[in-house]
Amino acid sequence: MNAATPITPDLVAGHGLTAGEYQHAVELTGRTPTLTELGIFSAMWNEHCSYKSSKKWLRTLPTTGPRVIQGPGENAGVVDIGDGQVVIFKMESHNHPSFIEPYQGAATGVGGILRDVFTMGARPIAALNALRFGAPDHPKTRHLVAGVVAGIGGYGNAFGVPTIGGEVNFDPGYNGNNLVNAFAAGIASADAVFYSAAAGVGMPVVYLGSKTGRDGIHGASMASAEFDDASHEKRPTVQVGDPFAEKLLLEACLELMATGAVIAIQDMGAAGLTCSAVEMGAKGGLGIELDLDAVPCREDGMSAYEMMLSESQERMLMVLHPDKQAEAEAVFAKWGLDFAVVGRTTDDLRFRVRHRGRVEADLPIHELGDDAPEYSRPFLLTQPPEPLAADAVPASDDPAADLLALVGSPDLASRRWVYEQYDHLIQGNTVQTPGGDAAVVRVRGQKGLAFSVDVTPRYCTADPFEGGKQAVAECWRNLTAVGAQPLAVTDNLNFGNPERPEIMGQLVGAIEGIKAACTALDFPVVSGNVSLYNETNGEAIPPTPAIGGVGLVEDIGRSASLAFKAEGETILLFGAPPAWGTCLGQSIWLRDIADRADGAPPPVDLDHERRVGDTVRQAIREGLVTAVHDLSDGGLAVAIAEMAIASGIGATLDQPPGDAPTASLFGEDQGRYLATARADDIGALRDLAEKDGIDLVTIGTTGGSALTLGRSGPISVAKLAEAHANWFPAYMAGG
């Protein structure tokens, strides 16, 4: 294509614009758009950049709170953590690129989310990820796992940020679309946070970082469309990353920010130069004029169309104080990075692009950015299934054998094979490493931050509203389990085609559930991402609204972990019903042992969730418990096995009460925690639970080398540990 290419209906459709959207573009320009303008409309109005199907619902989420400094709408959210510090964090998807080219897709996903954080003046201190792959026996799954994990490790390790946690799960629903959601957090001074809104007329617009190439053109548009059998042909739309260049860019940006030269800053992520320039101008109520002749390019003969749509990595756009320009240029020269004045701010609210003496684009800037199309799509809410009747669930023939099978299953086996490829100790501040409920990083003195990423897609498939609630509640619970006060969340909403009412209904239901939980738990949403059109040949992924949470640990010396600490301690269960567990609907046991996937998922009582969590957190802070673990997939039996495996210490549980020991052991009722305590502290714990109106029962003791589940035969901890450790390495070795 070149500037003379005629604008045909097929070309418009190929740019992901509907006939109505194109007609709107014609009305805005008052003429047929140029090819470059068509590309700009395509970049700014696609789903990935404009959120045109989800904006209506995202606005309903709770986004404010006493600690929230910046909510959604910036590169990342900003939350006060005291002592003049803020944590800046966000989660974003790189799903489509990672399916087409796993290594680079995942690597540049990490690079992009790190830029979102340090663009705002923060030094990154932690990275996490949430990964979803197809069935283990699908012919492409092993290849995707290997490439994605290598890409995450290759970029994060080289950049120098610890990758400290996340999720990896398998389900046939992801056979055609794997998910790669990347999370990053950084620390900044509260008085040195940088934003993207341009200010001042005639200010220089400066291009910083690496040169522009032809990689990643139409990347954002590709991420806003379904896949088909020809998806491999989209490989050229995947960006190529350079973590060493990004490390230089980080240091140069932070040094430049300290000079006072920066008025506004925006990273060049999705839609590259187009999106960064439009967003800076639109947010600041200004126009932007670009001169593409000044853009540093690594390939000869690039057209305006290619430069505006390239998603080459490790690039920034800034508006600088003119009197600081020379000082700023010297900083970037020192770090060996490009620095070029490529435009200026204007007062005419136009987005104007010049190249080789021609005006290639002249468009109204607000209509491209803040006033992009918005849809109220029809939706059909998912009808949740009925709860399983007690007599409709088979009893376990051998709970010990079932437990052994579960801890060595694809979804519950150890993820050590994955996280050992990530450097989780770099920077020297990681207090709790991957494998626990939440990772913990020291930020100053004894103060730390805890991080967790959670969602249970099988719950969301059955009932998006309860699934959305549960994703938030489990994240809140995981932070609580290490003793952190949950502060705020970022979300990554992964769904299929929103033009289908049943898929739009899943999105609406999940957002409503997230809203309910975040409101009840004072856990506001401060940033996030929506990834739609995750489907291939009409087959959508399971609804997957991933929640990334951050919590504050006032004293890392008082944080808790899941490993048993000693023999002879009492095992306690917080927040459980009298039967310990009741809900087997949509559970791992029902799916993997009974070969069924029916019933309603466990309901989330948010008042109960909050009261139990607050009690557990207080018990941790007062030093009354020695180990804590929340109950989730696999229920009580899997949780107690994980505590034993982590420590090498066995345990003996009492016989579960009632007539349904299967549900007691493997039910996935929400709002429950396991803990251990010394004998001298049991009385104080009972008093605390009684004061707060929380159910607390003793269910066993630690000790020995085996795990005994009531009257079920003992199983050695070593055997459990072997099954838990071996699945992933054997699978990746082709076993």
Side-chain angles (χ1 to χ4, degrees), residues 179-513:
L179 301 184
V180 175
N181 295 171
F183 172 107
I187 297 296
S189 296
D191 59 358
V193 178
F194 291 82
Y195 298 96
S196 60
V201 177
M203 298 294 111
V205 176
V206 181
Y207 174 115
L208 306 163
S210 297
K211 289 179 169 59
T212 294
R214 290 188 171 96
D215 55 318
I217 293 174
H218 286 304
S221 299
M222 179 267 290
S224 304
E226 300 175 36
F227 279 162
D228 55 27
D229 293 331
S231 295
H232 63 279
E233 296 174 4
K234 297 179 179 178
R235 184 181 295 265
T237 65
V238 178
Q239 309 94 327
V240 177
D242 181 348
F244 300 103
E246 179 126 329
K247 174 64 172 174
L248 296 175
L249 184 61
L250 162 72
E251 300 299 342
C253 285
L254 294 184
E255 184 174 336
L256 179 58
M257 289 167 174
T259 69
V262 179
I263 296 174
I265 179 170
Q266 177 74 41
D267 89 289
M268 293 194 219
L273 188 55
T274 290
C275 192
S276 57
V278 169
E279 288 189 358
M280 291 175 77
K283 287 179 181 177
L286 295 169
I288 297 283
E289 185 173 286
L290 296 180
D291 177 6
L292 299 188
D293 294 341
V295 171
C297 293
R298 66 169 182 262
E299 300 183 47
D300 293 334
M302 289 189 69
S303 67
Y305 177 91
E306 291 171 325
M307 280 189 269
M308 293 307 297
L309 299 185
S310 169
E311 293 184 10
S312 295
Q313 297 292 284
E314 294 86 40
R315 300 180 300 160
M316 292 282 189
L317 202 64
M318 290 187 185
V319 177
L320 298 180
H321 289 288
D323 58 344
K324 298 268 190 177
Q325 184 175 317
E327 185 177 0
E329 186 167 5
V331 169
F332 271 73
K334 183 183 92 172
W335 290 100
L337 296 168
D338 278 297
F339 178 103
V341 178
V342 297
R344 64 186 183 92
T345 59
T346 67
D347 61 0
D348 60 3
L349 294 177
R350 303 293 292 180
F351 183 52
R352 197 170 291 108
V353 178
R354 301 180 187 276
H355 187 224
R356 298 173 184 164
R358 293 181 50 182
V359 176
E360 294 283 353
D362 188 353
L363 301 169
I365 200 164
H366 274 298
E367 285 75 2
L368 285 175
D370 297 342
D371 296 333
E374 180 177 339
Y375 295 121
S376 182
R377 296 198 185 278
F379 61 90
L380 181 65
L381 293 175
T382 302
Q383 194 65 35
E386 293 294 322
L388 288 177
D391 58 1
V393 181
S396 171
D397 295 327
D398 187 343
D402 291 353
L403 176 59
L404 184 63
L406 288 175
V407 299
S409 66
D411 270 356
L412 295 180
S414 169
R415 270 53 184 146
R416 182 179 294 276
W417 181 91
V418 174
Y419 64 71
E420 280 190 339
Q421 299 187 52
Y422 307 150
D423 189 337
H424 46 267
L425 297 176
I426 197 167
Q427 298 185 11
N429 290 315
T430 306
V431 177
Q432 290 205 37
T433 58
D437 287 308
V440 180
V441 172
R442 181 198 318 269
V443 294
R444 177 181 291 173
Q446 289 297 101
K447 183 172 68 174
L449 288 172
F451 303 95
S452 182
V453 178
D454 296 283
V455 65
T456 309
R458 64 183 186 280
Y459 295 171
C460 299
T461 300
D463 185 342
F465 177 73
E466 285 296 330
K469 284 168 60 181
Q470 191 273 341
V472 174
E474 185 174 349
C475 187
W476 195 85
R477 210 159 50 237
N478 280 329
L479 297 174
T480 293
V482 299
Q485 177 65 53
L487 297 179
V489 306
T490 180
D491 57 27
N492 205 147
L493 309 180
N494 307 274
F495 292 82
N497 185 345
E499 297 167 45
R500 295 166 54 193
E502 67 274 19
I503 300 297
M504 192 66 206
Q506 292 176 343
L507 176 63
V508 171
I511 290 175
E512 288 291 303

Side-chain angles (χ1 to χ4, degrees), residues 165-191:
E167 292 190 302
V168 184
N169 288 100
F170 300 87
D171 187 279
Y174 303 102
N175 282 349
N177 295 79
N178 64 300
L179 301 184
V180 175
N181 295 171
F183 172 107
I187 297 296
S189 296
D191 59 358

Side-chain angles (χ1 to χ4, degrees), residues 53-114:
S53 298
S54 57
K55 278 191 290 191
K56 170 182 176 180
W57 299 100
L58 296 176
R59 292 192 192 102
T60 69
L61 292 170
T63 59
T64 60
R67 288 183 176 268
V68 176
I69 294 173
Q70 175 64 54
E74 271 293 340
N75 287 292
V78 184
V79 176
D80 183 7
I81 59 171
D83 304 316
Q85 292 181 302
V86 295
V87 58
I88 298 178
F89 62 97
K90 188 182 181 183
M91 183 161 55
E92 228 175 36
S93 61
H94 232 222
N95 303 333
H96 285 52
S98 299
F99 188 79
I100 296 169
E101 214 308 302
Y103 184 95
Q104 290 296 349
T108 52
V110 173
I113 199 64
L114 290 170

Side-chain angles (χ1 to χ4, degrees), residues 523-539:
F523 206 21
V525 180
V526 298
S527 59
N529 172 245
V530 180
S531 175
L532 304 179
Y533 296 95
N534 290 289
E535 56 182 81
T536 297
N537 295 327
E539 292 293 322

